[in-house]
Amino acid sequence: MLKKCFKSLTVACLLVGIFTNTTFAISQDEFLKFLINSAYPETTAKEKDKSEKTDEPKSASDQKNPSDKSTEKEDKSEENKVNKEYVKVFVGEENIPKEDTVDTEATDGEVVSSLNYKNDIRVTKENPKILIYHTHGCETYSNSPKGNYHSTDKVNSVMEVGSVLTSELANKGWGVVHTTKYHDYPSYNSSYSSSLKTIKDLMPKYPSVDIAIDLHRDARDLKDKATKEKDHKKYTTEIDGKRVAKFFFVIGGKNDNSKELRALAEDINKVAQKKYPGLVSPIIEKDYARFNQFAAKKHLLIEIGSNATTIEESKETSKYVADILDEYFRQNGEANM
């Protein structure tokens, strides 16, 4: 009996030692990277956020069937490939969004900073036509002093680029609702379910809105200075002697309206290529994703620049994007005057 007890105790100690060594062999940074990378494309075919389960009827493509098993390995491979595109995110106390306290009014033609918004929202005109939001509002540009490309440094983030885009569209007569609510903090893996709730909350409040824009910046793994310089060159172009960030559209192929979304992006690309050659990059389509683009008939997921481009280059691009969108939608009877 004593021998058996001793034997069991020895085996237990060995197992604890193995698991302990295995566990603590993973550094904190590696663990954080694993958490963020495994969560960041929140919209893989296998993922179902809670809000879609309760609010959105399942489409045929969501139903489980035998053929799904044969594509699981391919989906996993594609997901891993996408995960590599995202840089490590630092999650700390300084990332907690602080309440905005600045309260200033803008005159015509003046660009309003994202810091000036009241309750994280700005509406430029009665009966607005366009909603601009950010699923990944913590995405920052290369000159953010935080240095990790993901933080609540609003003035160096996609929030500020969205604010410039809002002002530029407003100056052209468009009614815009721009929200600077964070959806990727504190939970990154809930980003898309969180932004979907925002869309579903705002659309009924502003029923005149029929164009939605989810504004992002692309993410690259900037290993060293040489990589950063290479990606900066790749993600920028020159217009009127000034370096500006390129932009492109992303389509979630898993949406029932993916063909319409693709056609819309292609038509806008034609306008962009004609007006500003070299500014727009090819459309990216992810067959496994939705990106909440089912929530609006005319939904644009726009990536302006990357973490290799500066906030100034990206803000400058938003002026051209406003010009392109203005021309396209006016030509197609969407004017908001």
Side-chain angles (χ1 to χ4, degrees):
M1 183 68 178
L2 188 61
K3 278 187 177 181
K4 284 185 179 181
C5 287
F6 181 75
K7 202 170 185 180
S8 298
L9 185 61
T10 303
V11 171
C13 288
L14 283 171
L15 287 173
V16 168
I18 291 168
F19 284 117
T20 302
N21 289 336
T22 303
T23 302
F24 289 100
I26 302 174
S27 71
Q28 185 178 6
D29 281 350
E30 288 173 334
F31 183 61
L32 280 172
K33 185 172 183 178
F34 165 75
L35 287 178
I36 298 303
N37 283 350
S38 61
Y40 224 97
E42 297 87 358
T43 50
T44 57
K46 298 183 288 300
E47 192 166 16
K48 306 286 190 302
D49 56 55
K50 293 179 182 178
S51 57
E52 289 182 66
K53 284 181 181 178
T54 57
D55 298 324
E56 182 199 12
K58 289 185 179 179
S59 64
S61 59
D62 287 332
Q63 304 298 326
K64 288 286 183 182
N65 57 66
S67 63
D68 285 345
K69 293 181 179 179
S70 65
T71 59
E72 279 183 3
K73 289 184 179 179
E74 293 177 17
D75 287 346
K76 188 66 178 175
S77 175
E78 180 64 20
E79 181 180 343
N80 289 337
K81 192 188 301 180
V82 174
N83 283 343
K84 291 177 183 178
E85 295 294 308
Y86 292 91
V87 297
K88 182 174 66 178
V89 182
F90 177 75
V91 181
E93 287 297 320
E94 57 269 35
N95 278 357
I96 299 174
K98 301 293 190 301
E99 185 178 351
D100 295 336
T101 57
V102 183
D103 183 13
T104 59
E105 295 294 330
T107 58
D108 289 343
E110 183 182 346
V111 174
V112 181
S113 169
S114 58
L115 294 177
N116 301 130
Y117 288 18
K118 294 178 181 179
N119 300 318
D120 299 324
I121 199 162
R122 176 186 173 200
V123 184
T124 68
K125 190 177 181 179
E126 192 177 356
N127 299 319
K129 293 278 287 183
I130 301 172
L131 166 65
I132 299 175
Y133 69 99
H134 308 274
T135 295
H136 295 147
C138 287
E139 291 177 333
T140 57
Y141 291 90
S142 65
N143 50 334
S144 173
K146 297 289 185 180
N148 54 29
Y149 314 116
H150 289 82
S151 72
T152 58
D153 176 21
K154 270 190 178 181
V155 294
N156 289 300
S157 75
V158 290
M159 300 281 202
E160 193 73 1
V161 176
S163 186
V164 176
L165 178 59
T166 298
S167 292
E168 291 295 325
L169 287 168
N171 291 340
K172 295 176 185 299
W174 290 89
V176 182
V177 180
H178 180 211
T179 173
T180 55
K181 180 180 178 181
Y182 284 98
H183 300 107
D184 54 342
Y185 187 83
S187 175
Y188 283 91
N189 65 340
S190 298
S191 298
Y192 277 94
S193 59
S194 178
S195 65
L196 180 60
K197 290 174 185 175
T198 293
I199 298 169
K200 290 183 175 183
D201 178 51
L202 291 177
M203 294 284 270
K205 289 181 182 177
Y206 304 98
S208 53
V209 168
D210 61 1
I211 302 165
I213 298 173
D214 187 4
L215 189 61
H216 295 247
R217 61 115 177 99
D218 198 14
R220 309 297 299 177
D221 188 2
L222 305 179
K223 302 173 185 177
D224 48 42
K225 186 178 178 181
T227 304
K228 190 172 183 177
E229 289 174 354
K230 182 181 177 182
D231 277 4
H232 177 263
K233 186 175 180 180
K234 177 182 177 181
Y235 279 86
T236 58
T237 188
E238 197 170 287
I239 298 179
D240 295 333
K242 186 180 286 187
R243 208 74 192 166
V244 300
K246 293 182 180 181
F247 79 97
F248 61 92
F249 294 100
V250 179
I251 306 296
K254 202 165 182 286
N255 292 289
D256 290 338
N257 61 334
S258 62
K259 288 182 180 178
E260 290 81 4
L261 294 168
R262 178 93 194 191
L264 176 62
E266 286 175 348
D267 287 345
I268 297 174
N269 262 16
K270 289 174 186 176
V271 175
Q273 288 162 355
K274 185 177 179 180
K275 288 179 75 70
Y276 306 107
L279 182 63
V280 65
S281 298
I283 296 166
I284 302 294
E285 184 163 346
K286 299 294 184 181
D287 293 337
Y288 59 80
R290 282 188 293 270
F291 304 125
N292 293 339
Q293 289 177 299
F294 56 83
K297 188 175 181 181
K298 298 181 182 72
H299 190 296
L300 303 170
L301 196 163
I302 304 177
E303 305 256 3
I304 295 182
S306 74
N307 52 330
T309 61
T310 68
I311 183 66
E312 290 80 16
E313 290 165 338
S314 304
K315 284 162 68 174
E316 196 67 26
T317 299
S318 68
K319 299 175 184 179
Y320 297 114
V321 171
D323 193 34
I324 291 162
L325 295 178
D326 175 63
E327 180 168 321
Y328 173 77
F329 285 118
R330 284 184 192 280
Q331 288 176 352
N332 288 272
E334 289 284 353
N336 179 211
M337 302 301 289

